[in-house]
Amino acid sequence: VQRGRVLPRHVRAPGPLRAWLHRTRTGRPHVTWKYAATLDGRIAATDGTSRWISGPESRAIVHADRARLDAIVVGTGTVLADDPWLTARLPDGSLAPHQPLRVVVGTRDLPTRARVLDDAAPTLVLRTHDVDEVLDALTAHPDVLLEGGPRLAGAFLAARRIDRIQAYIAPVLLGDGLSAVRDAGVHTIAEAIRFRRERVETVGADVLITLVPDREQRSG
Ligand SMILES: NC(=O)c1ccc[n+]([C@@H]2O[C@H](COP(=O)([O-])OP(=O)(O)OC[C@H]3O[C@@H](n4cnc5c(N)ncnc54)[C@H](OP(=O)(O)O)[C@@H]3O)[C@@H](O)[C@H]2O)c1
């Protein structure tokens, strides 16, 4: 495969091929940041609870995606707040045959009984805040799903290491709470990190917006 664009812009490569092409070109895994937000851009209520923002159809797609991907990355904040399993489950609730590597990034200790440390899938704990160190540790895992909270998402955005966004927007309002991103290094509108819409689809009551970085974004 030659460096540069291999497929015409309008042709979407399927997941594994897209990730493989990306790694061939950049040497890094391909990162899809997935989050579920309310209409007002909140990913958790003020008390930190965030379960069931999106509907069952959206959650089923996320589980199917996890079952195809190589690694799921979250920050310690998400593990400490939600105690997620981060496994891929089939519609009947059983574990999918393929489980992605679970990756927890951050310096705080995790409770020994954290679900992410169970034996349903392998788990890697990376005690760092360096985004590229995380990606270097995952070169054998080209297709990565970032499911972290706003701090880790902000760090990946600030480092320009988000290659695709899947935003599940639910017809729900919270009025307050955690917004999807914190500390992305943007201080003025000229620094806004712009994305280009790839696809918009309805998923049950939600809307799934898939975006890729806008390489031609305005510089100011
Ligand atoms: N709706 C959704 O899609 C969704 C998804 C995920 C999470 N959430 C919600 O998000 C909330 C948790 O938010 P959060 O921001 O704490 O979660 P997070 O981004 O997953 O974790 C934040 C932690 O990650 C670590 N970290 C690693 N690299 C970092 C870097 N470069 N910069 C900053 N921190 C880094 C830090 O932990 P150390 O201090 O340990 O170093 C930091 O406190 C919960 O309420 C959860 O329910 C919602």
Side-chain angles (χ1 to χ4, degrees):
V1 175
Q2 293 177 331
R3 285 180 169 266
R5 193 181 298 285
V6 177
L7 295 175
R9 195 184 182 109
H10 62 280
V11 177
R12 274 201 311 267
L17 175 60
R18 180 185 52 233
W20 185 83
L21 291 171
H22 179 86
R23 189 180 58 180
T24 303
R25 202 176 66 243
T26 66
R28 293 189 302 270
H30 180 276
V31 178
T32 298
W33 170 39
K34 166 256 150 187
Y35 65 95
T38 63
L39 267 184
D40 50 342
R42 308 293 176 174
I43 53 87
T46 48
D47 67 353
T49 51
S50 66
R51 291 195 81 184
W52 318 139
I53 285 180
S54 55
E57 296 87 353
S58 296
R59 295 197 296 275
I61 293 181
V62 171
H63 279 275
D65 283 348
R66 284 178 178 176
R68 284 188 282 103
L69 287 156
D70 301 312
I72 304 178
V73 179
V74 298
T76 52
T78 295
V79 173
L80 295 172
D82 298 348
D83 194 17
W85 274 283
L86 298 180
T87 47
R89 295 199 174 264
L90 300 173
D92 67 4
S94 62
L95 287 172
H98 167 77
Q99 292 295 325
L101 175 70
R102 301 178 289 190
V103 183
V104 183
V105 187
T107 55
R108 279 171 288 175
D109 289 330
L110 304 181
T112 48
R113 296 176 70 89
R115 290 168 177 159
V116 79
L117 298 177
D118 71 10
D119 57 8
T123 299
L124 179 66
V125 177
L126 295 171
R127 291 177 174 270
T128 180
H129 280 191
D130 185 329
V131 168
D132 281 338
E133 209 178 300
V134 174
L135 295 177
D136 284 349
L138 296 177
T139 43
H141 298 80
D143 212 353
V144 168
L145 190 64
L146 176 65
E147 290 201 40
R151 284 192 179 82
L152 198 59
F156 271 74
L157 281 165
R160 302 296 189 273
R161 292 294 185 253
I162 303 278
D163 305 303
R164 190 162 167 254
I165 297 177
Q166 287 179 321
Y168 291 87
I169 308 300
V172 178
L173 289 167
L174 282 170
D176 207 344
L178 298 184
S179 66
V181 180
R182 284 192 60 172
D183 303 331
V186 175
H187 305 289
T188 177
I189 195 70
E191 297 168 357
I193 307 169
R194 294 178 189 275
F195 284 79
R196 180 168 56 80
R197 188 186 64 235
E198 192 181 77
R199 193 159 27 149
V200 178
E201 56 206 295
T202 54
V203 181
D206 305 331
V207 176
L208 168 58
I209 308 175
T210 304
L211 306 126
V212 292
D214 185 354
R215 301 290 179 206
E216 289 145 30
Q217 67 176 280
R218 285 172 289 169
S219 54

